[in-house]
Amino acid sequence: MEAMLYALDQINSDPELLPNITLGARILDTCSRDTYALEQSLTFVQALIQKDTSDIRCSNGEPPIIRKPERVVGVIGASASSVSIMVANILRLFEIPQVSYASTAPELSDNNRYDFFSRVVPPDSYQAQAMLDIVKALGWNYVSTLASEGNYGESGVEAFMQISREAGGVCIAQSVKIPREPTAGEFDKIIKRLMETSNARGVIIFANEDDIKRVLEAAKLANLTGHFLFVGSDSWGAKSSPIAELEDVAEGAVTILPKRASIDGFDHYFMSRSLENNRRNIWFAEFWEDDFRCKLTRPGIKLDTDKKKCTGGERIGQDSSYEQEGKVQFVIDAVYAVAYALHNMHQDLCPNSHGVCNSMDPVEGRLLLDYIRAVNFNGSAGTSVLFNENGDAPGRYDIFQFQMTNHSHPGYHVIGQWTNNLRLNLEEMQWSGGDKSVPESICSFPCKPGERKKMVKGVPCCWHCELCDGYQYQLDEFTCETCPTDMRPVPNRTACCPTPIIKLEWNSPWALVPASLAMLGILATSAVVITFIRFNDTPIVRASGRELSYVLLTGIFLIYLITFLMIAEPGVVVCAFRRLLLGLGMAISYSAMLTKTNRIYRIFEQGKRSVTPPKFISPSSQLVITFILISVQVLGVFVWFAVVPPHTIIDYEELRPPNPDLARGILKCDMSDLSIICCLSYSIVLMVTCTVYAVKSRGVPETFNEAKPIGFTMYTTCIVWLAFVPIFFGTAQSTEKMFIQTATLTVSMSLSASVSLGMLYIPKVYVIVFHPEQNVQKRKRSFKAVVQAATQKTDKPNGDTKIEPDRTQ
């Protein structure tokens, strides 16, 4: 009120502003209650209400003389938004302009409902925008809101929430309302509710001083000092009363206040006020008693012995502490706004007229409102005062932070400004315990590399981090993608890298063992061939069937040789020879043995019926039959060449375990398990057929040719290959499938070749080398004699007859 009186004094003493016109004031107390203020505001509109006095007569019958109330042209106030809203609803009905110096509720910007309302402070929507900018500048995205029940608190929080929704990037964890009349323990419940989302340490608070204080007390009682990071509205501002004796809880609180300045002229004016020179202020005596903690004597009122008597000689600022109230600047600006509007209106409506002309008596409220909205002048703090189309002043705020440590004077320190955009000095900020690093108030921490965000439904600031598992990599912050078949994720799963390619190495145990067996087999086969060549014309060599023996030994040699092709690094040439030789060596061996057993079987079967020898038992015929059988295998391979040319592939699926670090691409020939079996199938048919003939020829005399050795060879070979099949296909799920199958295949082939070599030729070589006396020609007998002898042997198993056949047959 003193600021308003001071402003009126300044205006009335200014010869340039409203010359020859004096402004007066009718000042009423709202008691900060909207209902009481409504009653008081009726005083302002009494002059505009037409009263019917026709029925009223004085005692002498004369009509009464009723003093007409003074007419007001404008209203300055109120402070509280709830009071301004109530008063504005009345004043607009009578078209009386209203200018507030402290009401910041956003709904007062509604020009349809509050069209005669203006204010020299920015609305809370600007304040909410400034507070949102602060939250974002601090890197917070998850905060709670706390509002006192009522227009100011609820409107401020609603503005903040609406702006945050529109801007995005900030989520509201809890929105708590403080009741007008909180019950016992209400603030403890509020703190517990805020702790339900403990990650939301930032608390946006639009509350009155008493509620702020009780929230801080509840936080301290819950031992949460330093946990909550308050961002307070202008109701907190830079006031010391809400944080008195709670400084440790409030440390680090960021508050906001409309930009203001201390008016030096008002300080001089106010400190010079006394009981003698300020009788126009009817509340000044009450202020005097409160400020100096004394008691004035009044007639009929007994003096309180606990308080000293006021002398009247006390001086403000000397005998009591004094600090200029924050609203002084805005009260002065509000009064000047109406004064400048009246001045401009007077110049337009009453040119060259001293005093108020008829055009301004009475003042038209709607026209005055237009002039108020059009003012633009430098206010008491040197900043421009103007209004937008809704009657709001531009947003200009100082940003404060309450700091305790590292300062000789703990208290509020300016850390930034907001004028349509934020300027915040993060370097000057400090938090609980003097910490310089900005604390976090976020719902979810950033995901680690290789993790994607799985958003929480309805809360865009919250997410769960999920690892991109298996062969997935992080495509973006929300998506995991599977790497291409030939790639695997890097260790941090942010990209894919080529899968390492491997092949069977010569130094691997899976290669060394088969290669060693094959090398021994090749040396043994070579020794047999050399021995046979050296003793080519001896009876044992001739009796074994030289021509077919050399063919059979060639097949055995090729079986050993295929081991090295299976181990060698795959290439087009290697793959072609693998296809050709894999089944060829066995086909040659088993074709030769089948021809031999078939010859023996036919000879003795024919001998039972006739003494005429069967056809095609000569060496040349045997060779032709063998090569015909071999040609089937060769033809099949060349057809395979034509249909699917040999080539290499890199198999990424075979060695792709759950752990991608162990994934490997295997360089190999384009030969599937099925194609290998198909390649060997013809040889298996020859082997089974040969076994059948060996079984049928089991009755042949022991000393006749090679029927029984071939039979034992085939039996053993069948056992080897029967063992091979489960081992080969049973390793399909093994991580070393290729190595095991290659080793199994080559070892099985080497064993079957060794069985053939050992049973058919090693005994002959032993006789040739170590018992040459047995390698001599015996009496030659006719085919008829041989068959007859064999028949006798067969028909009389218990007889004593023993016939030595001619091994040269």
Side-chain angles (χ1 to χ4, degrees), residues 417-717:
Q417 295 83 34
W418 191 92
T419 308
N420 295 326
N421 56 72
L422 179 67
R423 294 187 298 277
L424 192 65
N425 299 318
L426 292 173
E427 299 80 10
E428 296 181 9
M429 299 182 74
Q430 62 182 38
W431 306 87
S432 181
D435 188 6
K436 286 283 188 179
S437 59
V438 178
E440 293 176 323
S441 181
I442 56 178
C443 180
S444 303
F445 291 99
C447 293
K448 298 176 182 177
E451 295 179 340
R452 75 176 185 94
K453 292 180 180 177
K454 185 179 181 181
M455 305 305 296
V456 176
K457 188 175 181 180
V459 189
C461 304
C462 300
W463 58 82
H464 302 297
C465 294
E466 287 189 348
L467 180 67
C468 296
D469 57 359
Y471 287 81
Q472 294 181 326
Y473 73 101
Q474 184 183 2
L475 180 64
D476 54 45
E477 60 177 334
F478 302 106
T479 312
C480 291
E481 284 284 340
T482 303
C483 289
T485 308
D486 60 342
M487 305 187 84
R488 65 178 185 177
V490 296
N492 65 2
R493 296 183 177 272
T494 56
C496 295
C497 63
T499 302
I501 298 172
I502 61 170
K503 57 182 179 58
L504 185 57
E505 300 293 342
W506 289 102
N507 58 358
S508 168
W510 300 109
L512 287 174
V513 173
S516 300
L517 290 176
M519 182 57 68
L520 291 174
I522 289 173
L523 293 174
T525 305
S526 301
V528 171
V529 171
I530 292 171
T531 301
F532 268 48
I533 293 173
R534 171 70 178 80
F535 299 95
N536 190 50
D537 291 325
T538 60
I540 289 180
V541 175
R542 292 173 62 192
S544 63
R546 288 176 296 185
E547 296 78 5
L548 283 182
S549 290
Y550 290 127
V551 171
L552 200 153
L553 287 169
T554 301
I556 292 173
F557 183 86
L558 293 179
I559 291 173
Y560 287 124
L561 183 64
I562 191 63
T563 295
F564 299 97
L565 289 173
M566 296 299 290
I567 297 173
E569 181 176 347
V572 175
V573 175
V574 170
C575 290
F577 275 104
R578 277 191 191 180
R579 286 193 191 181
L580 180 62
L581 299 182
L582 181 60
L584 184 60
M586 293 179 64
I588 292 174
S589 298
Y590 297 135
S591 294
M593 282 192 279
L594 175 59
T595 303
K596 280 191 173 189
T597 54
N598 175 263
R599 173 176 177 266
I600 296 170
Y601 175 75
R602 287 188 298 115
I603 287 174
F604 286 96
E605 283 297 311
Q606 179 73 14
K608 293 177 181 179
R609 298 187 297 268
S610 169
V611 294
T612 305
K615 298 180 180 179
F616 310 118
I617 61 172
S618 64
S620 58
S621 300
Q622 297 296 291
L623 286 176
V624 170
I625 294 172
T626 301
F627 285 120
I628 290 173
L629 293 175
I630 294 171
S631 64
V632 175
Q633 174 73 25
V634 175
L635 180 62
V637 171
F638 279 101
V639 170
W640 188 9
F641 282 159
V643 175
V644 182
H647 61 280
T648 59
I649 60 168
I650 300 175
D651 188 349
Y652 294 98
E653 296 297 332
E654 183 173 312
L655 201 53
R656 198 174 174 87
N659 183 359
D661 293 337
L662 303 178
R664 299 292 185 271
I666 301 175
L667 177 64
K668 61 183 183 179
C669 293
D670 185 24
M671 294 175 66
S672 64
D673 294 349
L674 181 60
S675 63
I676 291 174
I677 297 301
C678 290
C679 188
L680 296 174
S681 60
Y682 180 64
S683 300
I684 294 172
V685 171
L686 293 176
M687 180 180 68
V688 172
T689 307
C690 187
T691 304
V692 171
Y693 277 110
V695 171
K696 288 184 176 183
S697 303
R698 66 184 182 277
V700 174
E702 294 180 6
T703 52
F704 188 85
N705 217 308
E706 298 173 301
K708 290 193 176 181
I710 291 176
F712 287 124
T713 299
M714 299 319 301
Y715 306 152
T716 309
T717 303

Side-chain angles (χ1 to χ4, degrees), residues 271-323:
M271 286 189 291
S272 66
R273 298 296 89 191
S274 67
L275 293 173
E276 291 77 19
N277 64 14
N278 200 25
R279 295 185 183 274
R280 64 180 179 179
N281 185 345
I282 61 173
W283 292 284
F284 195 71
E286 181 182 346
F287 164 79
W288 194 271
E289 290 179 330
D290 184 67
D291 192 44
F292 293 108
R293 294 184 175 87
C294 62
K295 194 70 176 178
L296 291 170
T297 56
R298 292 184 179 87
I301 299 177
K302 187 178 181 180
L303 182 66
D304 189 352
T305 56
D306 294 336
K307 289 189 177 182
K308 65 179 181 178
K309 181 180 178 181
C310 297
T311 64
E314 296 90 353
R315 288 292 174 263
I316 298 172
Q318 296 179 9
D319 300 314
S320 66
S321 60
Y322 167 73
E323 182 180 359

Side-chain angles (χ1 to χ4, degrees), residues 281-386:
N281 185 345
I282 61 173
W283 292 284
F284 195 71
E286 181 182 346
F287 164 79
W288 194 271
E289 290 179 330
D290 184 67
D291 192 44
F292 293 108
R293 294 184 175 87
C294 62
K295 194 70 176 178
L296 291 170
T297 56
R298 292 184 179 87
I301 299 177
K302 187 178 181 180
L303 182 66
D304 189 352
T305 56
D306 294 336
K307 289 189 177 182
K308 65 179 181 178
K309 181 180 178 181
C310 297
T311 64
E314 296 90 353
R315 288 292 174 263
I316 298 172
Q318 296 179 9
D319 300 314
S320 66
S321 60
Y322 167 73
E323 182 180 359
Q324 189 176 121
E325 220 284 342
K327 297 184 179 71
V328 166
Q329 170 197 338
F330 303 111
V331 173
I332 295 172
D333 288 345
V335 175
Y336 264 91
V338 176
Y340 274 109
L342 289 169
H343 178 80
N344 295 335
M345 187 178 182
H346 181 266
Q347 286 184 331
D348 292 343
L349 300 183
C350 307
N352 304 317
S353 173
H354 296 285
V356 179
C357 65
N358 293 333
S359 299
M360 291 184 66
D361 189 17
V363 175
E364 185 183 346
R366 187 166 291 280
L367 184 60
L368 177 60
L369 175 66
D370 294 336
Y371 278 96
I372 290 175
R373 295 284 176 87
V375 298
N376 189 344
F377 62 95
N378 284 331
S380 55
T383 57
S384 59
V385 177
L386 67 158

Side-chain angles (χ1 to χ4, degrees), residues 732-785:
Q733 303 302 319
S734 173
T735 56
E736 295 183 319
K737 171 187 171 183
M738 186 199 74
F739 305 147
I740 297 174
Q741 288 187 339
T742 301
T744 302
L745 178 62
T746 51
V747 168
S748 296
M749 295 182 73
S750 294
L751 287 177
S752 63
S754 299
V755 167
S756 300
L757 186 68
M759 290 194 172
L760 296 180
Y761 294 103
I762 295 301
K764 294 180 174 59
V765 172
Y766 175 78
V767 171
I768 292 171
V769 175
F770 297 103
H771 296 283
E773 71 279 2
Q774 296 181 14
N775 190 13
V776 294
Q777 180 72 40
K778 295 189 177 181
R779 181 172 60 86
K780 188 173 182 179
R781 304 175 67 188
S782 67
F783 172 78
K784 181 179 178 181

